[in-house]
Amino acid sequence: APAAGEVAVSSEQKVYDVVLKQASLVKRKLGALDKPDIALPGNLLNEAYDRCGEICAEYAKTFYLGTLLMTPERRRAIWAIYVWCRRTDELVDGPNASQITPTALDRWESRLEELFQGRPFDMLDAALADTVAKFPVDIQPFKDMIEGMRLDLKKPRYKNFDELYLYCYYVAGTVGIMSVPIMGISPNSEATTESVYNAALALGIANQLTNILRDVGEDASRGRVYLPQDELAQAGLSDEDIFAGKVTDKWRNFMKSQIKRARMFFDEAEKGVTELNEASRWPVWASLLLYRQILDEIEANDYNNFTRRAYVSKAKKFLSLPAAYARSIV
């Protein structure tokens, strides 16, 4: 609760302040001008970027394919960001997650600050350090993603959607804000820079809400419920119902409203994808269309996200690629 005399600020307002900061950085074209160069031989740097590309190809095949249409410099930068985000996520969700402490996350944040100062710790850090020196990327979304990992360590419940929205921004909306300066806005775009960032943020929120809805059963097995507690109560449901894992009419109705909200964020995201630089649109469209289909699969499973994991088949994924490409060139 805010202290006396303080005004409660909604999560959306907090996040919008980050959007405005990043958008103004892009408008001022602050890139290599005020950031240190990386003292690393070119061949080592190329090796670092190639390794990032290999990791992206291994863990995000469809997205990786889409990045191949981008200019080489942008493609490499997106790989570097992807790898940093993946490593950050692995801290709390990877094989060693049970050993991770808040101190370890503090150390990871110090490493991030060093990296932004041009002092990378390892090869993969070096690729990101070079990227943030070349592109107008702000450190705040990266720090916020680490904050999302801190929440995962200490917060297994969310009172309402305002709290959940902030969490979704921390762990996924940040990725959109990190990526737009790399992907670039189309020279023909008449949209404001802020609106393009808002759409990128909406895609991250939509993707994370979709993850949450897909993984209800999996999260429950770890004692986590990433659903707004007040909305569960309004639907006549509680954590006990989720741990019991029974699909009832109450659950179906609750899920319908949650899916509807996620689709609303996808609709918001669509408005911004068309404003991106043409060569950068395909991976974003591919991600959007594929993730959106996960919601269809939850419906096809009769809202059983307790014991069935909704996934998009390889055939459907393959069919999405030309559709995403078609949208990217319109």
Side-chain angles (χ1 to χ4, degrees):
E6 277 185 17
V7 178
V9 178
S10 76
S11 293
E12 288 195 26
Q13 186 56 52
K14 282 181 200 161
V15 173
Y16 191 54
D17 291 343
V18 180
V19 167
L20 290 177
K21 190 178 170 196
Q22 173 61 69
S24 69
L25 193 63
V26 170
K27 283 181 192 160
R28 294 204 309 274
K29 295 280 188 297
L30 284 179
L33 305 175
D34 67 332
K35 291 179 181 173
D37 280 333
I38 310 306
L40 203 69
N43 59 335
L44 269 180
L45 206 49
N46 286 337
E47 216 177 297
Y49 276 120
D50 288 346
R51 181 69 195 118
C52 289
E54 286 164 15
I55 295 169
C56 188
E58 186 178 346
Y59 293 102
K61 293 181 181 66
T62 309
F63 182 74
Y64 173 79
L65 276 176
T67 64
L68 298 181
L69 284 184
M70 296 163 77
T71 63
E73 195 178 38
R74 282 186 172 144
R75 175 193 315 157
R76 286 158 42 125
I78 282 293
W79 293 343
I81 285 179
Y82 170 83
V83 167
W84 185 86
C85 292
R86 182 169 180 84
R87 291 170 95 192
T88 304
D89 185 57
E90 289 268 297
L91 291 174
V92 295
D93 275 337
N96 302 317
S98 56
Q99 278 89 53
I100 289 296
T101 61
T103 313
L105 290 175
D106 292 345
R107 279 203 298 269
W108 186 246
E109 187 165 348
S110 301
R111 238 174 101 161
L112 172 74
E113 285 163 358
E114 290 284 308
L115 176 167
F116 262 79
Q117 293 301 317
R119 294 189 292 273
F121 182 77
D122 64 14
M123 194 173 174
L124 297 176
D125 278 358
L128 184 61
D130 184 61
T131 289
V132 302
K134 284 179 177 159
F135 290 90
V137 180
D138 186 46
I139 195 171
Q140 195 58 48
F142 293 84
K143 288 183 151 207
D144 285 345
M145 181 176 267
I146 297 171
E147 189 55 38
M149 302 306 133
R150 287 193 182 100
L151 284 181
D152 270 336
L153 291 184
K154 66 185 182 193
K155 193 172 168 69
R157 299 289 182 279
Y158 289 84
K159 278 203 306 252
N160 50 35
F161 185 68
D162 189 64
E163 282 194 1
L164 189 65
Y165 176 91
L166 194 59
Y167 171 73
C168 289
Y169 157 69
Y170 283 151
V171 297
T174 46
V175 183
I177 296 176
M178 294 168 192
S179 305
V180 176
I182 314 296
M183 293 184 161
I185 296 171
S186 166
N188 307 320
S189 171
E190 291 176 10
T192 63
T193 311
E194 288 88 348
S195 71
V196 179
Y197 276 94
N198 262 339
L201 168 67
L203 180 56
I205 303 276
N207 285 352
Q208 187 58 28
L209 288 174
T210 301
N211 280 341
I212 286 169
L213 298 179
R214 180 194 61 196
D215 298 339
V216 166
E218 212 174 290
D219 289 332
S221 70
R222 292 186 289 182
R224 296 180 186 172
V225 178
Y226 291 103
L227 297 164
Q229 292 287 318
D230 59 345
E231 293 176 27
L232 275 171
Q234 281 160 18
L237 295 162
S238 67
D239 289 354
E240 281 61 44
D241 294 299
I242 290 167
F243 295 133
K246 282 207 179 104
V247 180
T248 60
D249 283 342
K250 280 180 184 175
W251 178 252
R252 288 186 189 96
N253 288 331
F254 172 75
M255 281 304 299
K256 282 173 190 170
S257 67
Q258 300 301 308
I259 288 173
K260 184 180 176 184
R261 176 190 278 141
R263 285 189 174 131
M264 197 179 75
F265 279 103
F266 278 122
D267 291 345
E268 187 62 33
E270 282 198 11
K271 296 175 196 166
V273 189
T274 51
E275 307 299 338
L276 292 175
N277 189 289
E278 194 177 322
S280 303
R281 285 179 210 152
W282 193 30
V284 187
W285 270 121
S287 163
L288 192 153
L289 296 179
L290 284 170
Y291 251 81
R292 194 174 227 164
Q293 285 179 51
I294 294 171
L295 298 173
D296 303 338
E297 297 298 330
I298 294 172
E299 289 172 336
N301 287 345
D302 190 30
Y303 305 100
N304 179 4
N305 43 4
F306 297 119
T307 57
R308 295 183 69 179
R309 185 180 167 92
Y311 74 98
V312 181
S313 69
K314 276 192 179 155
K316 281 186 184 170
K317 278 184 181 175
F318 194 69
L319 288 171
S320 293
L321 292 179
Y325 183 69
R327 292 231 189 163
S328 70
I329 57 175
V330 171

